[in-house]
């Protein structure tokens, strides 16, 4: 059961165009935002949580139906980490999460009307990058009157945003907590994304990204994209443990169906189920946009590939966390971040959690992982409650 | 020998304001002490989950890493001081670690249980492996895979091209200057590259 109870998102409208890295701009856009806890008097306890590929602004708590009744199983995607008495304690911190533009959970995205054409954006939605999202999030903070974050926290693609915050707005972040992430995607990672995108784009129902006006959804493509994703989020061991070689509807020792097209193995059933579920709620153009944002993220690129040179701009203190069995964002990638921070003599702690669950581990409740996050937020809370903050805040307007 | 007293003695050997790397930093108490009392900065390396958690609680920079995998995370001469307290005896690649220590730090300090301390010698004379305050384990469950004496380290240091700046023993928190190989339960060496 969720301990935050019912939470309600707000939608913030922005008229001033948001310039994008591609050269395009987003104008007249809306961002969905959820906040939990109370902003303290000196506005020093704000924590921004950045979401990953298929998540949203709904990080913790439950949503209510139209009668105000909590919807069962509507917990936010990081509800095990965030809430009263949880590692990121909403009694102590004011938590903010923004649904990124281009997503499909209420913020302006491909399913919305393009103010320039009066038509649904579809494939015309401009390419957005991690840096663009951070700029959009910064505007939300401006709107909320928050000059500096106590911390920015994110896992996977969310970790990339957290890292980018320390480079784009170094003075606005005191601490960066980057979980199961990487300084850029490897060629193998881009390759997985490309297979997923091709599955969507080559689906006859995709119609070049303008499927909305045809009244169809490229479900087959979305399903396959999600299946590929799921394979890479789990470890070999955990898949074996979960499904092994079990057959659907057959006892151990029973003969298989000898069919090439029917579901035979449990793992196939699981992947198809995940694919079906995903294709019910996720937007195909959003999937393309978000995987592209992942591909493009590479803060070292502007520094000739030198990540240490890129991170020289950061002034935040870092906590970097990886999981031993995560092969999509492997510990070695997190260690690259740690090394670049160490090269700059930045404050950094690094926890390499021995968890069996692969990349998914960052969303799961693991005591060693959560204890480290808990301890780190306790430390941040001591800092912002103590006398040192006044010294740090003196230079601010 | 309590952690507290070894920390106090070692802290005296670390110049104020030093950039410190603590290999096998445990719960981070020494780094926190060096930070608070001598304005030192730096990182600890620790493998154990519980200890990493304690370091984070203390606000000490800790990097979770198996020391057997080396110090490739750190550039040459990136620290003023590299500490290895009660760590050396747990490592398989002792010699490689010592040269890595000398590579990343301008100076190093090691402290380890002195196997030649007289109660240990007596025990061996009686035909049994020592079980004492500084070597509290049975031979079959000890994490100490490298047992060495005060005198042994002097030989390895010379072989590894290290210059011993200062060396002494510790027994019950007291510095032992004379006959440390016989009289000290813990051996302490401060060194740099020769």
């Amino acid at each position: 059961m969720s301990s935050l109870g019912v939470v309600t998102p707000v939608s913030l409208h922005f008229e001033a165009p948001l310039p994008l890295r591609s050269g395009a701009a987003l104008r007249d856009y809306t961002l969905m935002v959820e906040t939990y806890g109370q902003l303290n008097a000196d506005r020093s306890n704000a924590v921004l949580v950045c979401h990953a590929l298929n998540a949203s602004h709904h990080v913790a708590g439950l949503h209510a139906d139209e009668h105000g009744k909590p919807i069962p199983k509507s917990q936010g995607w990081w509800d095990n980490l965030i809430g009263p008495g949880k590692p990121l304690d909403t009694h102590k911190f004011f938590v903010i999460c923004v649904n990124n533009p281009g997503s499909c959970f209420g913020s302006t995205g491909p399913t919305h009307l393009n103010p320039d054409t009066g038509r649904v954006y579809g494939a015309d939605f401009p390419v957005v990058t991690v840096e663009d999202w951070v700029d959009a999030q910064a505007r939300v903070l401006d709107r909320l009157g928050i000059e500096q974050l106590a911390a920015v926290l994110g896992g996977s693609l969310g970790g990339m945003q957290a890292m980018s915050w320390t480079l784009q707005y170094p003075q606005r972040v005191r601490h960066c907590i980057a979980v199961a992430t990487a300084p850029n995607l490897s060629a193998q990672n881009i390759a997985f994304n490309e297979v997923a995108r091709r599955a969507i784009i080559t689906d006859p129902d995709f119609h070049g990204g303008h499927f909305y006006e045809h009244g169809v959804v490229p479900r087959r493509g979305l399903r396959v994209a999600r299946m590929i994703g799921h394979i890479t989020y789990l470890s070999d061991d955990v898949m074996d443990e979960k499904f092994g070689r079990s057959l659907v509807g057959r006892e151990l020792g029973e003969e298989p169906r000898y069919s090439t097209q029917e579901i035979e193995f449990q793992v196939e059933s699981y992947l198809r189920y995940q694919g079906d579920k995903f294709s019910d709620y996720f937007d195909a153009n959003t999937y393309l946009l978000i995987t592209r944002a992942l591909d493009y993220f590479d803060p070292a690129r502007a520094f000739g590939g030198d990540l240490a040179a890129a991170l020289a701009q950061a002034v935040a203190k870092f906590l970097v966390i990886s999981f031993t069995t995560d092969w999509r964002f492997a510990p070695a990638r997190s260690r690259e971040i740690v090394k670049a921070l160490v090269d700059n003599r930045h404050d950094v702690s690094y926890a390499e959690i021995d968890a069996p669950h692969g990349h998914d581990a960052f969303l799961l409740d693991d005591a060693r992982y959560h204890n480290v996050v808990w301890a780190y937020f306790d430390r941040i809370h001591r800092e912002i409650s103590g006398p040192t903050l006044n010294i740090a805040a003196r230079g601010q307007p | 020998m309590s952690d507290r007293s070894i920390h106090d003695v070692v802290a005296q050997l670390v110049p104020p304001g030093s950039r410190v790397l603590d290999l096998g930093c445990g719960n981070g108490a020494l780094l926190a002490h060096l930070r608070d009392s001598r304005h030192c900065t730096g990182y600890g390396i620790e493998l154990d989950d519980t200890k990493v958690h304690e370091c984070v609680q203390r606000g000490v920079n800790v990097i979770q890493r198996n020391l057997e995998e080396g110090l490739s995370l750190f550039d040459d001469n990136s620290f003023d001081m590299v500490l290895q307290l009660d760590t050396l005896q747990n490592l398989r690649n002792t010699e490689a670690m010592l040269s890595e220590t000398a590579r990343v730090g301008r100076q190093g300090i090691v402290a380890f249980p002195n196997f030649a301390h007289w109660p240990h010698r007596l025990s061996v004379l009686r035909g049994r492996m020592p079980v004492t305050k500084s070597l509290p384990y049975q031979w079959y469950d000890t994490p100490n895979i490298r047992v060495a004496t005060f005198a042994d380290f002097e030989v390895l240091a010379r072989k590894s091209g290290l210059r011993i700046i200062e060396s002494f023993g510790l027994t019950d928190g007291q510095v032992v200057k004379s006959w440390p190989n016989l009289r000290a339960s813990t051996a302490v060496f401060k060194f740099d590259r020769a």
Side-chain angles (χ1 to χ4, degrees):
Chain A
M1 219 15 225
S2 168
S3 43
L4 252 183
V6 169
V7 298
T8 313
V10 293
S11 80
L12 301 179
H13 186 77
F14 296 84
E15 261 170 39
L18 180 74
L20 305 173
R21 295 303 182 279
S22 66
L26 200 58
R27 67 176 185 92
D28 265 336
Y29 60 96
T30 297
L31 298 176
M32 296 300 288
V33 178
E34 279 187 14
T35 67
Y36 323 117
Q38 295 293 319
L39 188 61
N40 62 9
D42 57 6
R43 297 172 179 264
S44 62
N45 69 335
V47 175
L48 177 71
V49 179
C50 304
H51 71 74
L53 206 159
N54 62 316
S56 71
H57 51 283
H58 182 42
V59 190
L62 296 161
H63 278 167
D65 60 20
E66 61 271 29
H67 310 295
K69 271 186 57 181
I71 302 168
K73 292 188 178 172
S74 69
Q75 279 94 348
W77 54 272
W78 227 347
D79 192 78
N80 59 24
L81 192 85
I82 299 163
K86 292 184 182 178
L88 172 46
D89 191 341
T90 48
H91 283 319
K92 295 175 179 166
F93 293 99
F94 178 63
V95 178
I96 308 152
C97 190
V98 182
N99 186 213
N100 290 323
S103 181
C104 51
F105 296 100
S107 291
T108 299
T111 60
H112 291 83
L113 283 184
N114 180 348
D116 292 334
T117 62
R119 233 179 123 201
V120 172
Y121 274 112
D124 299 332
F125 195 87
V127 166
V128 279
T129 64
V130 165
E131 289 80 3
D132 298 331
W133 286 335
V134 168
D135 286 341
Q137 293 158 7
R139 288 187 173 187
V140 172
L141 295 195
D142 293 344
R143 184 74 63 89
L144 298 173
I146 294 162
E147 172 54 32
Q148 192 188 46
L149 292 166
V152 58
L153 160 69
S156 191
L157 174 58
M160 290 174 167
Q161 292 159 57
M163 221 185 314
S164 204
W165 256 100
T166 70
L167 308 179
Q168 291 174 249
Y169 301 96
Q171 302 300 331
R172 297 187 75 169
V173 190
R174 291 170 64 85
H175 291 270
C176 171
I177 300 156
V179 187
T181 192
N184 60 25
L185 288 196
S186 64
Q188 187 195 46
N189 250 320
I190 296 171
F192 282 123
N193 283 347
E194 175 58 4
V195 176
R197 282 190 295 264
R198 292 314 295 168
I200 290 168
I201 292 167
T202 57
D203 183 325
D205 284 339
F206 184 63
H207 296 286
H210 294 289
F211 50 90
Y212 317 98
E213 47 208 67
H214 293 83
V216 291
V217 170
R219 245 175 233 288
R220 282 158 291 185
L222 274 169
R223 284 191 194 113
V224 173
R226 186 57 170 171
M227 288 165 86
I228 294 157
H230 254 278
I231 298 168
T232 69
Y233 303 150
L234 298 178
S235 69
D236 193 14
D237 282 350
V238 99
M239 258 200 175
D240 238 11
E241 192 185 305
K242 259 182 151 158
F243 314 108
R245 297 186 46 82
S246 315
L247 302 178
V248 175
R250 291 281 191 281
E251 293 301 316
L252 198 71
E254 267 190 279
E255 280 293 296
R257 292 172 182 78
Y258 296 110
S259 157
T260 56
Q261 298 192 18
E262 274 180 87
I263 290 180
E264 187 76 277
F265 292 92
Q266 287 289 359
V267 66
E268 297 172 303
S269 162
Y270 168 79
L271 288 176
R272 288 203 202 182
Y273 170 73
Q274 292 294 343
D276 285 347
K277 207 168 69 168
F278 190 66
S279 70
D280 283 343
Y281 73 85
F282 210 80
D283 177 65
N285 284 307
T286 290
Y287 203 88
L288 305 183
L289 286 166
I290 295 189
T291 54
R292 257 304 184 232
L294 270 161
D295 294 356
Y296 283 134
F297 181 68
D298 187 7
R301 199 171 64 96
F303 296 85
D306 185 347
L307 184 63
L311 283 168
Q313 313 156 77
V315 291
K317 295 173 164 64
F318 284 75
L319 172 64
V320 179
I321 298 176
S322 74
F323 301 93
T324 49
T325 54
D326 182 353
W327 56 279
R328 183 103 196 231
F329 289 82
R333 303 308 317 273
S334 281
R335 289 199 293 264
E336 284 177 43
I337 300 168
V338 174
K339 169 141 182 58
L341 292 167
V342 165
D343 286 348
N344 282 297
R345 302 187 157 207
H346 289 333
D347 280 308
V348 54
S349 281
Y350 172 58
E352 197 168 296
I353 309 292
D354 189 8
H357 308 99
H359 188 56
D360 262 357
F362 89 90
L363 294 168
L364 302 176
D365 188 353
D366 177 295
R368 284 164 300 177
Y369 159 42
H370 278 192
N371 283 343
V372 168
V373 175
W374 207 315
Y376 200 80
F377 273 110
D378 270 350
R379 166 196 165 177
I380 297 173
H381 186 249
R382 283 198 302 273
E383 255 176 50
I384 59 175
S385 319
T388 47
L389 181 75
N390 300 329
I391 301 162
R394 205 174 289 154
Q396 285 171 29
Chain B
M1 151 118 296
S2 75
D3 282 352
R4 180 90 231 153
S5 51
I6 195 168
H7 288 175
D8 289 343
V9 173
V10 168
Q12 298 298 317
L13 300 176
V14 179
S18 291
R19 188 98 190 131
V20 177
L21 179 65
D22 187 354
L23 304 176
C25 66
N27 61 18
L30 175 59
L31 277 173
H33 178 54
L34 287 170
R35 173 194 65 199
D36 299 339
S37 67
R38 297 181 86 81
H39 307 290
C40 294
T41 55
Y43 309 96
I45 309 280
E46 180 54 56
L47 182 60
D48 183 82
D49 288 321
T50 311
K51 291 173 181 165
V52 167
H53 174 235
E54 288 174 316
C55 287
V56 173
Q57 278 179 319
R58 281 197 160 85
V60 161
N61 289 327
V62 61
I63 295 170
Q64 190 165 29
R65 195 86 180 106
N66 187 347
L67 285 173
E68 301 285 6
E69 286 164 40
L71 300 179
S72 57
L73 213 50
F74 306 105
D75 286 343
D76 297 358
N77 291 316
S78 40
F79 296 93
D80 301 312
M81 184 64 77
V82 181
L83 307 175
Q84 279 183 79
L85 310 184
D86 268 328
T87 300
L88 208 61
Q89 72 269 22
N90 306 140
L91 296 176
R92 196 164 295 282
N93 54 358
T94 315
E95 199 178 349
M97 200 48 170
L98 210 54
S99 62
E100 275 287 87
T101 299
R103 177 183 69 78
V104 302
R106 276 176 273 281
Q107 295 188 341
I109 296 170
V110 299
F112 59 90
N114 173 30
F115 197 75
H117 188 209
W118 65 265
H120 300 154
R121 295 187 191 202
L122 267 183
S123 186
V124 173
L125 271 179
R126 274 194 248 109
R128 297 291 304 275
M129 284 296 276
V131 179
T132 63
K133 248 193 290 177
S134 66
L135 290 173
Y137 305 97
Q138 294 291 343
W139 65 273
Y140 49 80
D141 66 5
T142 178
N144 301 328
I145 57 174
R146 303 286 184 209
V147 285
T149 70
F150 194 100
D152 286 333
F153 189 82
E154 290 175 327
V155 176
L156 177 62
R158 211 175 304 127
K159 181 168 175 275
S160 305
L162 303 177
R163 186 174 64 103
I164 292 168
I165 302 168
E166 200 176 340
S167 68
F168 54 86
L170 284 173
T171 303
D172 296 326
Q174 299 301 310
V175 171
V176 179
K177 289 277 188 187
S178 58
W179 299 89
N181 198 40
L182 183 68
R183 295 181 52 233
S185 64
T186 298
V188 182
F189 290 85
K190 180 174 174 178
F191 56 85
D192 62 10
R193 262 160 297 170

